[in-house]
Amino acid sequence: FAPYASAIRCGRPLTNECLGATDIRYDPEASNDAEDQAEVWKRADGLFRGEGIVRVNIFNPLNAPIPALPDPSVFEFSFVDFANYTITGSRQIVTSYLIVPDTPLPPRVTQRLAFATTTYEKDGSLISLPSVVAIPGEERPSQTFFDNDVELRSYAVDENTVYLSGEVSGTVRGINSITNVCLDEQCNQMQESFDTFQTINGTVQRVFASETSYTRIATGEEWINAILAEYDTLGINPDERIDPSIDICAAGLCPTEEEWCQTDPNCSESPYQEPPARVKQSVIAGFTVAGILLFTAVLYAIHRYLVAAQAHRYRATFARRIAETIDMRASVRNLTPEALAKEFERIDEGVARDGKISKEELWEFISSGKAGEMKRHDFNALFASMDLDNNGEVDFVEFCAFMARCDEEYRAARRRSSVGLQQPSRLVAHRLSDAVSQLRSIDEPSEEVTGGDEGKEEE
């Protein structure tokens, strides 16, 4: 069926519309690249320096509530975050250096690499892979794995806003809610709000909150130099620092290509496949109606042919019977009214002689001659064609009208009759000619006999 594959694709004049025409998930031509799907990914791509504040419960920073109003149980501390948002096709890598100089919970410097890809929905959302977290003094960074049932997604709300939501992994369960908003046309200023919610004593409460204001940095060199300068400004000791020029993916903790392709639509098969094309219901109905009309037309043509053939048969039989008795004429048009009236009376020879031909009288006329046998259904059709007013009798007007329609058959019958009469006459003339020739040969003596007699006379 391969040669006919193109003939049964969806979206053709005879097939149903492709799902991809109304549902982008099924459109194989729709791009899987993040920047093609949502403008905000292009605007927010780049290097940033951010300053923020974290609010936690001083008594239980991990799972105690943070009241909305100022409260003595809430502790606030500031931080600096250097973020690198990089979009490459369908993949996003976010590198973050978080510096917290006054944190009650060491370390003061951490590095986090977050990975995400676009989705099969092609709606501009990103789905996260396991992230990598590095702290100073470790020979190799640790890796954070999200549970299989946890899905962390970033949604492109509009050209300025990204919203991220998902469950918190690890022993502390909850929900993360992160919103990033570009504040100007070039997205040189960006604001991030980060909240974590948990259920405490049956009530969902916020247990972590942070606000960060980011400013764009033009080049990678400026970004690295800014991180190193921040270490010096905040008094970060050399053993607490993480070198921003070191690629921690060299340690083998970044996603492999196989791991990328578990969610990357550019290197995996989408579950949204266009179903087999179907012929439109209207087309099926059209073909059905056309088939019925064609079949009906064929049956009608056959019926017309059979009716015409039947009419020719009964007219020919009737014309031959009429030709046996009526005066010789070349055509019905040449028959005189008297000849037609005489023939009508010959058929109307029943007891009544009422000037009308009954069905029985016509049958008797047809059956009594040498015109040949006529089947009963042909005779019924003959009588029906003559009885125009359907009163069961044929008057003289109806008889003349039918005779006019039999002109061609009548002339054919007369030609056959003439040929039939001429052939015996020619045969008799030929036989008489042969007989005369034989008689002449007997009466006239041969030349030898005549000469002999003349010799004898001379002697």
Side-chain angles (χ1 to χ4, degrees), residues 50-53 79 81 83 85 94 96 98 112 162 164 177-183 189-195 208-214:
E51 295 182 0
I53 295 176
F79 65 88
D81 182 33
Y85 295 90
V94 180
S96 173
L98 184 64
R112 179 175 182 268
V162 173
L164 184 147
S177 175
I178 306 173
T179 304
N180 291 81
V181 181
C182 292
L183 302 180
Q189 302 292 322
M190 186 167 60
Q191 185 75 22
E192 179 183 273
S193 300
F194 190 152
D195 297 286
F208 176 87
S210 71
E211 295 286 339
T212 311
S213 297
Y214 289 95

Side-chain angles (χ1 to χ4, degrees), residues 420-436:
L421 291 175
Q422 291 172 6
Q423 287 179 347
S425 299
R426 291 175 181 174
L427 181 59
V428 170
H430 181 69
R431 290 178 177 176
L432 288 174
S433 176
D434 290 343
V436 169

